Amino acid sequence: MAFVKEEKMKGCHPRLFGSKEKKVAKRTDGPCCNAAGEVGPSSSKAVSSSPLRTLSGVKSIRLSHLLAQPSINKTTEPIRIFVSTWNVAGKAPTAELNLDDFVPPDDHSDIYVLGFQEVVPLNAGNVLVIEDHEPAARWLVLINQALNRPADNDTNVFQQPSPSMDSTSSRASSSLDTTFSDITKTASGSTIFHKSFLKSVSKSFMPLQRKQLKACNCPVEMIKSSYRDACFRRPKKHAGESDSSGEEEKENTRDSCCSTGNEVTSAPTARDQLKYNLIVCKQMVGIFVTVWVKKELVQHIGHLRTSCIGRGILGCLGNKGCISVSMTVHQTSFCFICSHLASGQKEGDEFRRNSDVLEILRLTLFSRICRRAGRRIPEKILEHDKVIWFGDLNYRLALSYADTKRLLTENNWDALFEKDQLKIEQDAGRVFKGWNEGKIYFAPTYKYSSNSDAYAGETATSKKKRRTPAWCDRILWRGDGTSQLSYYRGESRFSDHRPVCGTFIVEVETLNKKTKRRPSSADMRIGAEELLPTDKNKGTPRNMSCPKIPQ
């Protein structure tokens, strides 16, 4: 009797993930639970084996079925990506600034990745005390105006907006105008803008469902293809992770359409009218990155994460370093790195820049979100399918000022480029090995005199202050299926650097229309009860307990 009771107890607990078909097939003479839950004829020899027959009709809950490899039809399609970098020398933008050299009006790319260096002066107050976010907020409004405002509208975004302006730009500009006139000043008279202010401005240009950008967007078939690597669990943060998604999730709990104090807000209908949505807005001291995506493409963005690495004072502060952005577009992973590397034109300074690159590659770690199709979503820079690195890399020319000036006068770019430190270091395999850069057909982008087309060396009063012109501002990339359409510099005199722009056509993997995307929810969990067959009448899982055997 004890044996029978033990067998009955084992049978009454369904083995959802471990029973094998062979073992079930051996027990054939007990009562069976059919689809309607009825009890069939039985033999008194094996009454206790009947519950195992119950499981034979629930094949969908076996691990073997969860691990079955479905056929996922993939194809590729091209997307256009515009990348621009500009060291703005710590100067805040004015309303009269023309951004055509930084964001060309006739480009019409699918994704815009725009990076700045020195959006604030790199003084002790900004590096050690508190960041000033006013310049970044101003750049944000100007970029939105360039991407989303009608081309024939020349309204001053920092003054009273015109009724014909796009409603979101109008709200942001109006609120900025009010906020800038009612700012708090420190005892020394310097303007301080806190991080919350930049967030409130950026919300005006972000999609309403921005929280979903950080979630997994793997398709349903990919989840089923690898049960252990599926996106069932809530992502865990790495210890010491610099990703700001945790803070942003707290911000997302607030009603994005409400206004408190001087927050810049916009109605949902106004946001829906934006042609491009802001999906990334991140500042680290002087480095500032924004990513804008066409509204139709936003739904295909997922696994969005950021990481900041400081390489400045003491090798860790944010006056130098990088901001990295990781995301997936359809089924292809991207990483964008905006960096400001070590400065200096002395012999040997290039090795400090090499060290910055190697440390950024070593230290950058994105938070884990999920795994898909047996392959983890990238956590390191070089694990991504496509990588674009841009910024003020600060590599100089290994030439004297006199020789550089002579070759510049002759427009002999090839001879100049042979002395480019980045090219020399890359050819020697010491940095950016395997990376690509477009052919340079433009003059060195650094260093210019203020509001002038003349290099600063021509007006320097001493050799110590003289800077040899150099291609400091660069864009590099790696990854198959990437081709560069253009690589050029803008001619704005706003800074002592000229902006550098590049346009790419990138092939991304997409799923056919029949393949379902997984709902974007970081909190999605699948319980065993969801795998059980449901009652057609009530729509709830049926009771899988053992039927009572009539005595």
Side-chain angles (χ1 to χ4, degrees):
M1 289 298 293
F3 176 76
V4 173
K5 288 182 180 180
E6 184 180 352
E7 284 294 317
K8 183 177 289 189
M9 290 302 294
K10 288 182 180 179
C12 290
H13 294 280
R15 298 180 184 179
L16 299 182
F17 304 107
S19 59
K20 294 184 180 180
E21 196 167 351
K22 297 197 266 192
K23 294 182 179 180
V24 177
K26 290 179 181 179
R27 306 173 185 263
T28 57
D29 21 9
C32 65
C33 299
N34 57 25
E38 299 173 351
V39 181
S42 62
S43 170
S44 59
K45 294 182 180 180
V47 171
S48 60
S49 66
S50 60
L52 293 178
R53 279 297 299 272
T54 302
L55 295 181
S56 65
V58 193
K59 296 182 179 179
S60 60
I61 65 177
R62 292 201 188 99
L63 182 59
S64 59
H65 288 271
L66 291 170
L67 294 177
Q69 295 288 341
S71 59
I72 302 177
N73 295 325
K74 292 184 179 180
T75 183
T76 60
E77 68 177 41
I79 63 170
R80 183 183 176 102
I81 300 178
F82 179 86
V83 180
S84 192
T85 176
W86 197 3
N87 185 320
V88 294
K91 297 173 63 177
T94 60
E96 294 77 21
L97 180 62
N98 188 342
L99 282 190
D100 287 355
D101 286 318
F102 187 65
V103 186
D106 57 348
D107 184 79
H108 308 300
S109 290
D110 299 300
I111 299 175
Y112 285 84
V113 184
L114 311 175
F116 297 87
Q117 302 82 44
E118 296 188 39
V119 289
V120 296
L122 301 183
N123 54 40
N126 285 317
V127 176
L128 299 174
V129 184
I130 187 172
E131 294 175 347
D132 181 6
H133 293 281
E134 177 197 352
R138 287 179 172 266
W139 284 113
L140 208 56
V141 173
L142 282 173
I143 294 169
N144 176 70
Q145 173 186 313
L147 292 176
N148 289 314
R149 198 186 64 167
D152 57 350
N153 196 328
D154 295 325
T155 305
N156 185 331
V157 294
F158 299 124
Q159 303 298 329
Q160 188 64 31
S162 166
S164 61
M165 182 186 290
D166 175 88
S167 54
T168 301
S169 299
S170 174
R171 287 173 180 268
S173 303
S174 176
S175 184
L176 279 175
D177 190 39
T178 303
T179 305
F180 292 155
S181 63
D182 191 28
I183 53 181
T184 302
K185 294 190 175 183
T186 62
S188 62
S190 61
T191 303
I192 299 297
F193 273 74
H194 296 282
K195 192 172 183 179
S196 58
F197 173 75
L198 180 59
K199 284 186 177 182
S200 66
V201 175
S202 64
K203 283 181 184 178
S204 301
F205 313 127
M206 288 184 170
L208 288 174
Q209 303 300 325
R210 59 186 178 276
K211 194 172 182 180
Q212 293 184 359
L213 296 171
K214 300 182 180 71
C216 168
N217 64 347
C218 297
V220 174
E221 283 77 359
M222 284 189 173
I223 292 175
K224 291 180 180 179
S225 67
S226 183
Y227 175 78
R228 289 181 179 272
D229 292 337
C231 315
F232 293 162
R233 297 176 182 174
R234 187 179 184 87
K236 296 181 180 179
K237 301 288 288 184
H238 287 282
E241 175 62 46
S242 56
D243 192 345
S244 65
S245 59
E247 294 179 13
E248 292 174 5
E249 283 182 7
K250 292 179 182 178
E251 290 291 327
N252 289 339
T253 59
R254 301 177 184 176
D255 185 358
S256 60
C257 300
C258 294
S259 175
T260 57
N262 289 324
E263 279 192 6
V264 179
T265 59
S266 60
T269 54
R271 278 192 230 195
D272 291 341
Q273 294 173 3
L274 294 176
K275 183 179 179 183
Y276 290 92
N277 282 137
L278 174 69
I279 64 168
V280 174
C281 173
K282 186 73 174 175
Q283 180 178 356
M284 182 184 75
V285 188
I287 303 175
F288 180 51
V289 177
T290 68
V291 179
W292 303 73
V293 176
K294 270 187 178 178
K295 185 174 66 175
E296 315 82 78
L297 191 60
V298 169
Q299 62 179 317
H300 300 294
I301 304 294
H303 307 97
L304 182 62
R305 299 157 293 169
T306 60
S307 177
C308 298
I309 300 295
R311 291 293 299 160
I313 301 171
L314 302 177
C316 61
L317 296 186
N319 56 307
K320 294 291 191 293
C322 81
I323 299 175
S324 302
V325 178
S326 172
M327 66 183 192
T328 55
V329 182
H330 289 285
Q331 305 305 312
T332 301
S333 60
F334 284 81
C335 186
F336 303 104
I337 305 104
C338 177
S339 68
H340 192 187
L341 305 184
S343 59
Q345 63 176 7
K346 296 178 182 178
E347 185 177 353
D349 284 341
E350 64 271 26
F351 300 128
R352 293 169 53 220
R353 294 184 267 277
N354 293 354
S355 177
D356 285 349
V357 173
L358 296 177
E359 285 300 290
I360 287 170
L361 290 172
R362 183 179 71 86
L363 295 175
T364 299
L365 183 66
F366 297 103
S367 57
R368 180 177 299 179
I369 290 184
C370 77
R371 304 181 180 209
R372 62 177 184 182
R375 181 177 66 86
R376 294 189 303 174
I377 296 298
E379 297 172 24
K380 305 290 288 182
I381 290 176
L382 297 182
E383 293 175 0
H384 291 75
D385 299 322
K386 324 285 183 185
V387 187
I388 298 180
W389 191 312
F390 58 103
D392 182 0
L393 306 190
N394 253 325
Y395 286 94
R396 310 301 174 92
L397 292 175
L399 278 175
S400 66
Y401 178 80
D403 290 339
T404 301
K405 184 177 180 180
R406 175 177 54 81
L407 293 174
L408 282 173
T409 305
E410 300 171 357
N411 289 334
N412 193 344
W413 309 130
D414 290 338
L416 269 178
F417 191 65
E418 287 300 317
K419 298 298 182 179
D420 176 67
Q421 287 181 347
L422 178 54
K423 180 182 184 303
I424 294 171
E425 295 303 302
Q426 194 174 12
D427 289 346
R430 289 188 286 265
V431 72
F432 288 118
K433 187 176 181 180
W435 292 68
N436 304 291
E437 184 181 17
K439 178 74 173 175
I440 293 181
Y441 291 106
F442 50 85
T445 56
Y446 174 83
K447 177 182 184 178
Y448 283 89
S449 298
S450 178
N451 196 29
S452 171
D453 287 328
Y455 286 106
E458 300 175 16
T459 58
T461 56
S462 67
K463 289 185 178 180
K464 289 184 179 180
K465 294 184 178 180
R466 178 185 292 170
R467 294 290 182 269
T468 301
W471 285 290
C472 289
D473 310 280
R474 312 288 274 270
I475 302 175
L476 296 91
W477 82 93
R478 59 178 287 145
D480 296 334
T482 303
S483 58
Q484 191 171 38
L485 300 182
S486 63
Y487 191 30
Y488 63 95
R489 61 172 240 175
E491 299 302 330
S492 173
R493 298 176 178 176
F494 178 76
S495 169
D496 58 356
H497 288 250
R498 295 293 186 260
V500 171
C501 309
T503 308
F504 299 86
I505 291 292
V506 181
E507 295 290 333
V508 298
E509 279 192 350
T510 61
L511 301 174
N512 63 5
K513 295 182 179 179
K514 294 181 180 180
T515 304
K516 298 180 181 179
R517 281 178 77 245
R518 174 179 181 256
S520 297
S521 173
D523 297 322
M524 180 178 178
R525 296 171 184 266
I526 293 183
E529 66 275 6
E530 298 178 37
L531 301 174
L532 300 177
T534 58
D535 191 324
K536 293 182 180 180
N537 297 326
K538 298 181 180 179
T540 56
R542 289 200 307 271
N543 186 1
M544 292 296 295
S545 60
C546 298
K548 294 183 179 180
I549 308 300
Q551 300 297 328

